[in-house]
Amino acid sequence: KNADDNDGGGGRSGLLRSAVVRAVSRVLKIMELVKEMILTNPPIAGCLLGVLIGVVHPIRDLFLSNAATGYVAPLGMIANGMRNMALGSIPLSVLVLAGTMAQKRPPPPPPLANKSSDAAVEVVGNKRRLGLIALSRFLLVPFTSLLAVNFAVKTGLIANDPILIFVLLLQSAMPSAQNSVTILQVLDKPAEAQKVARLLLKIYAMSIVPVSAWVTFFLHTSGVLS
């Protein structure tokens, strides 16, 4: 009986060690993925650095001046220079998107016997993918965000500020950003970047009507116009 108990205890401890090892391995993989995403995405790295500077009071006083109180930060010239450089991020993203779309397409694969059927399946798959993205981006996400923001306001998680509510709701209805194209270019994947760029162009064209409708609805719902 004691031997059986020892065997059972050893088995349970082995299972526990195995579960701990798997959990640690998954955490390390997630940390590596997050690290790679930050290093290959300059906008995210810049946002995180800006949040760090804005939250930590001593660092904020070094870089950010306060015109209301007349305080001049010792390193304010660095913040002003970074601000001027950041003004070109959006035009540069547009140039990257346009340049990616202007690249030559990769050579087609060798012809197959069922080439026409494969092409038809690919076209249907692209249309279905585009439809699912548009449905989630312009209907499901804004509707879910509307419910979440209303719940947060009623429970006191966020202030009942019309401008704040409008900005939170507006962000949920915006189309996908262009950073994904930039990331793929940084990772030296021009073919994938070109596919994403063409997909984003279609999404931007489809977003004109739903985004306009959501903006009008959010303006009235948030109370900005009242």
Side-chain angles (χ1 to χ4, degrees):
K1 182 178 179 180
N2 292 332
D4 294 338
D5 292 340
N6 292 332
D7 292 339
R12 286 193 294 270
S13 61
L15 292 176
L16 180 60
R17 285 196 298 269
S18 177
V20 171
V21 170
R22 288 197 300 267
V24 172
S25 177
R26 291 179 181 178
V27 170
L28 292 177
K29 288 182 180 179
I30 293 175
M31 293 177 61
E32 188 68 24
L33 180 61
V34 172
K35 178 182 177 182
E36 182 179 356
M37 290 175 60
I38 294 176
L39 293 179
T40 58
N41 195 333
I44 292 181
C47 290
L48 293 177
L49 181 60
V51 170
L52 177 64
I53 294 176
V55 170
V56 181
H57 186 73
I59 302 179
R60 182 173 69 243
D61 291 340
L62 288 176
F63 290 95
L64 302 180
S65 303
N66 192 337
T69 60
Y71 173 75
V72 179
L75 302 179
M77 73 291 293
I78 298 179
N80 293 331
M82 297 298 293
R83 186 180 297 110
N84 292 331
M85 292 177 60
L87 294 176
S89 61
I90 296 179
L92 287 176
S93 298
V94 176
L95 289 176
V96 171
L97 179 64
T100 302
M101 294 182 59
Q103 291 177 351
K104 293 183 179 180
R105 294 189 176 185
L112 301 174
N114 56 346
K115 181 178 179 180
S116 59
S117 60
D118 292 342
V121 170
E122 183 177 1
V123 170
V124 173
N126 291 336
K127 291 182 178 179
R128 182 177 301 175
R129 187 183 304 112
L130 182 61
L132 291 175
I133 293 175
L135 178 64
S136 60
R137 181 73 267 182
F138 303 127
L139 183 61
L140 299 181
V141 174
F143 183 74
T144 305
S145 299
L146 180 62
L147 296 178
V149 170
N150 288 334
F151 175 79
V153 171
K154 291 181 179 179
T155 55
L157 295 177
I158 61 175
N160 191 7
D161 184 1
I163 299 298
L164 174 61
I165 296 174
F166 175 71
V167 171
L168 293 176
L169 295 176
L170 183 63
Q171 290 295 325
S172 66
M174 291 295 102
S176 303
Q178 304 170 11
N179 293 338
S180 53
V181 180
T182 306
I183 294 173
L184 291 173
Q185 289 287 7
V186 171
L187 295 177
D188 195 18
K189 296 182 179 180
E192 290 79 359
Q194 189 177 40
K195 293 180 180 180
V196 174
R198 296 181 182 278
L199 180 63
L200 287 179
L201 178 62
K202 297 175 182 178
I203 293 176
Y204 293 157
M206 296 174 60
S207 67
I208 297 176
V209 175
V211 169
S212 301
W214 279 116
V215 168
T216 304
F217 178 74
F218 291 155
L219 284 172
H220 291 278
T221 302
S222 61
V224 173
L225 298 181
S226 59

